[in-house]
Amino acid sequence: MSLFGNLSDLPFVEVVALLSRKSGALEISLGPFRSHYQLYVADGSLRGMVRDHSPVEDALQAREEIVKLFVAQSGSFEFTKLSPESLVGNLDLPLQRILLSISTMHDEIGAFREHFADPRTQFRATQALEESLDPTLSDFWQRSHKYFSDLPSGISAQQLSSLLRISLEQAQLYLYKLRAAGLVAPIRAVEQPPKNHQPLAPSIPASAPVAVGVAQPSPKSKPRSDGLIPRLLQALKGKIL
Amino acid sequence: MNPLYDPIASFGTGPKPLKLVVAGPVGAGKTSFVRSLSETEVVGTDELATEDIGKTFTTVAMDFGTLVLDGQPIFLFGTPGQDRFDFMWEVLCEGALGLVLLVAGDKPSEFSQARRILEFITSRISVPFIVGVTRQDLPKVWSSEDVAEYFGLPTAQVVSLNATRSTSSIFTLIHLLELVGAYQLSESFVSSDAGLAEPQNGFGQQ
Ligand SMILES: Nc1nc2c(ncn2[C@@H]2O[C@H](COP(=O)(O)OP(=O)(O)OP(=O)(O)O)[C@@H](O)[C@H]2O)c(=O)[nH]1
Ligand SMILES: [Mg+2]
C-alpha cells in the first residue's frame, strides 16, 4: 500500500485525516527552491518534524510550519509506514486538532486584522496566568511570557515574530488575544500620573469643556512655584480670562 | 497673530522652543486645533486628498503653528493623519513636552485607528499625553468618559473639546500642561534641554 500524491489534488488537511490511524513518516516537498519536510506521526499525533534537514525544535515552531503546509497550494507528498515504537520524538501534537485551530486562526486573522496593534507597539505583562489558555495560545505564552515581564521596554509583535520565528500576523493575533484575556497591555513609556493628581493652579471650572476627573490634593506632587509649567499655565489661563 | 514673535528670526536667541505634538486619524481636527491655538499663521500643507478618505482636504506633511507663553515659545506640530505617514509620528514625538491625540467623537469607526496610533507612540516614546475628543458641539458624539473606557485610560486623561474654537483648545492645552506638571518632570524633563530631550524608546532601553 502506498500513499502519495500532490497537495494540489489532496490538500494537507485531507492527507492528515487519512493518516489519523496510521504511523509513519510523511515526506512533503513544496517544490524546487522550497522547503522539504518530514513529519513523523503516530496515532494521529505529530511526534517529530524535520524541515530542510534540521529538526523543528518546539511546538510553537511546529505549528508555524504546519500553517505553511496548511496553505500550500501544491507540493508532492509520500507516506511511509513505520512502527509506532520507532517514532519517539520531541513533539506530541494532536494533528487534527492543530489543523482545526489553524483554520480558526486563519479566520481570526482575517476578522481581527484591522484591530491589531501596530507591529511596533511594545507590550508588557499585566498579571499572572490564572486560568488555562487554549493550547495554541498557551504554547505561545510559554515561549514568550519572559519577554513581556523581563524587558523593561516590553516587546512588540515585530520583535516576537523574529525572536520566535513565527509570522508577523500570527504574533499580532497572539498579542491581540492575550490582550483580550487581560494578560498583556501596551507599555506606557511615561508612567501614569499619580491618581488624583493635583492641578498646579486653580482648576478649571466644572462647566468648562475640559474639566473631567479633577483632583484631590496629593502630597506627592508638589510643584515648584517658580517652575516653567506653572508659568506656562498662568499665561495660558490669562488668554481666556 | 503675535506680531512680537517671529519663530524663524528668534530661533537660537531666546529660550529654546518647546514642542507639542498633535496626532490623530484623518479628520480628527488636528489642523483646526493647531489653527485655534497658533498666534502665527499656521504653516499648513493641506492638499486635495488623492485617496477617498471622506474629506476633500487633508494634511500631507504637517501643520506648524507657534505660541508664546510668558516669553517661552512653543512649537505646535500637527501630524498627518494618513497611515502612510506613520514614520513621522515617532520622529515628531521624540523629546516633545506633550502629546495631544485627537479623535472625532462622532466617528467611532476611527477609534481603533486612534488607539493604534496612541499605543504605538506612547509605548515607545516617553511623552505625557492626553486624548481629546473633538466635535463636542455636535448633537451625537461619544463622551470623553466612554472614550477613556475604550482607550483604557483614566478619565482625567481624556477631555472633550471643539477644536475649531480657541477657548476650548486652550482648555485642552491647560489640561495637558497640568498633567505634564503632575508627572513632576519639571526638573528632569523640562530642563534647559526641554523639548529636545533624548528619546527613550526601543529595545535596548534599561
Ligand atoms: N463642529 C466641529 N467641527 C470640527 C471640529 N474639529 C474639526 N472640525 C471640522 O472637521 C473637519 C476636519 O478637521 P481638520 O482639522 O482638517 O482635521 P485633520 O485632523 O487636520 O485632518 P487631516 O489633516 O486630513 O488628517 C474640518 O472641516 C473642521 O472644520 C470640532 O470640534 N467641531
Ligand atoms: Mg490636517
Side-chain angles (χ1 to χ4, degrees):
Chain A
M1 181 216 81
S2 199
L3 221 161
F4 66 94
N6 197 295
L7 299 178
S8 57
D9 309 313
L10 209 63
F12 184 63
V13 221
E14 299 196 41
V15 178
V16 166
L18 287 172
L19 300 182
S20 63
R21 276 194 298 269
K22 296 183 171 59
S23 299
L26 175 68
E27 297 222 13
I28 302 178
S29 184
L30 293 184
F33 312 114
R34 299 194 54 198
S35 288
H36 185 94
Y37 294 89
Q38 279 132 352
L39 278 70
Y40 297 95
V41 294
D43 308 320
S45 139
L46 180 69
R47 298 289 164 85
M49 187 184 215
V50 174
R51 185 197 142 193
D52 299 329
H53 308 294
S54 43
V56 170
E57 280 159 23
D58 59 38
L60 188 65
Q61 270 173 48
R63 280 180 202 279
E64 183 68 14
E65 297 305 332
I66 293 171
V67 172
K68 291 180 193 158
L69 294 171
F70 177 79
V71 297
Q73 301 287 325
S74 71
S76 57
F77 68 86
E78 179 155 5
F79 182 71
T80 314
K81 245 179 150 176
L82 298 168
S83 77
E85 297 76 46
S86 65
L87 295 169
V88 183
N90 60 329
L91 304 170
D92 189 9
L93 298 170
L95 260 179
Q96 277 187 296
R97 279 237 302 278
I98 288 189
L99 282 171
L100 260 175
S101 73
I102 286 173
S103 60
T104 315
M105 186 175 271
H106 257 253
D107 296 345
E108 286 173 338
I109 287 178
F112 298 131
R113 188 181 275 122
E114 290 182 46
H115 304 282
F116 288 166
D118 187 285
R120 295 157 297 175
T121 296
Q122 308 284 125
F123 284 81
R124 65 181 167 80
T126 46
Q127 60 178 56
L129 182 58
E130 276 163 16
E131 299 151 46
S132 59
L133 295 167
D134 79 62
T136 330
L137 206 53
S138 141
D139 284 346
F140 177 79
W141 184 241
Q142 273 181 20
R143 287 284 313 276
S144 64
H145 72 91
K146 60 174 185 285
Y147 301 118
F148 291 104
S149 34
D150 294 355
L151 298 172
S153 57
I155 187 130
S156 67
Q158 204 168 55
Q159 291 163 339
L160 284 167
S161 133
S162 73
L163 279 168
L164 304 177
R165 280 174 284 158
I166 58 174
S167 78
L168 179 62
E169 282 198 322
Q170 263 191 48
Q172 286 178 287
L173 178 67
Y174 285 133
L175 274 175
Y176 182 77
K177 292 176 118 187
L178 288 173
R179 182 183 191 175
L183 291 171
V184 303
I187 291 246
R188 301 276 187 225
V190 92
E191 292 198 353
Q192 296 286 333
K195 271 214 172 90
N196 303 327
H197 75 266
Q198 182 181 18
L200 299 173
S203 60
I204 308 161
S207 60
V210 294
V212 188
V214 201
Q216 295 299 309
S218 138
K220 267 191 151 180
S221 53
K222 237 185 240 137
R224 286 161 50 208
S225 52
D226 62 336
L228 175 63
I229 301 296
R231 267 177 46 216
L232 299 180
L233 274 168
Q234 203 169 13
L236 259 182
K237 287 174 181 173
K239 285 171 78 86
I240 44 176
L241 291 180
Chain B
M1 285 280 269
N2 180 349
L4 300 177
Y5 184 67
D6 176 347
I8 308 300
S10 314
F11 198 75
T13 57
K16 233 176 227 174
L18 297 172
K19 181 163 74 168
L20 285 174
V21 181
V22 186
V26 169
K30 302 176 293 294
T31 300
S32 311
F33 184 73
V34 171
R35 283 184 208 272
S36 297
L37 288 171
S38 183
E39 294 167 339
T40 51
E41 193 81 53
V42 170
V43 182
T45 51
D46 274 23
E47 293 200 353
L48 279 170
T50 52
E51 297 156 39
D52 181 14
I53 53 171
K55 68 200 281 266
T56 318
F57 282 93
T58 188
T59 306
V60 295
M62 60 185 182
D63 306 301
F64 175 67
T66 65
L67 183 65
V68 181
L69 297 174
D70 195 13
Q72 170 64 55
I74 299 198
F75 286 180
L76 299 161
F77 292 97
T79 67
Q82 289 173 276
D83 260 346
R84 62 197 164 97
F85 294 104
D86 65 358
F87 65 93
M88 290 187 62
W89 302 333
E90 223 172 339
V91 176
L92 275 173
C93 287
E94 275 173 9
L97 177 68
L99 164 71
V100 180
L101 182 108
L102 295 180
V103 54
D106 62 340
K107 287 188 198 147
S109 55
E110 307 275 303
F111 289 0
S112 85
Q113 201 212 342
R115 189 169 68 175
R116 184 162 49 232
I117 296 174
L118 183 77
E119 287 170 351
F120 167 63
I121 297 174
T122 58
S123 82
R124 301 172 64 87
I125 310 247
S126 180
V127 61
F129 66 92
I130 57 171
V131 171
V133 188
T134 61
R135 298 168 166 265
Q136 290 300 315
D137 50 311
L138 301 182
K140 201 175 171 192
V141 282
W142 276 52
S143 74
S144 59
E145 287 86 349
D146 290 335
V147 174
E149 181 83 33
Y150 176 82
F151 277 81
L153 291 170
T155 48
Q157 230 168 325
V158 184
V159 302
S160 314
L161 73 150
N162 176 348
T164 62
R165 289 301 177 82
S166 74
T167 313
S168 184
S169 301
I170 289 171
F171 273 127
T172 304
L173 204 51
I174 289 176
H175 200 98
L176 174 66
L177 289 182
E178 285 182 343
L179 206 72
V180 173
Y183 283 121
Q184 291 210 293
L185 296 172
S186 46
E187 278 157 284
S188 58
F189 202 85
V190 190
S191 61
S192 56
D193 273 343
L196 303 167
E198 281 299 303
Q200 298 198 340
N201 64 333
F203 210 6
Q205 185 197 348
Q206 289 299 310

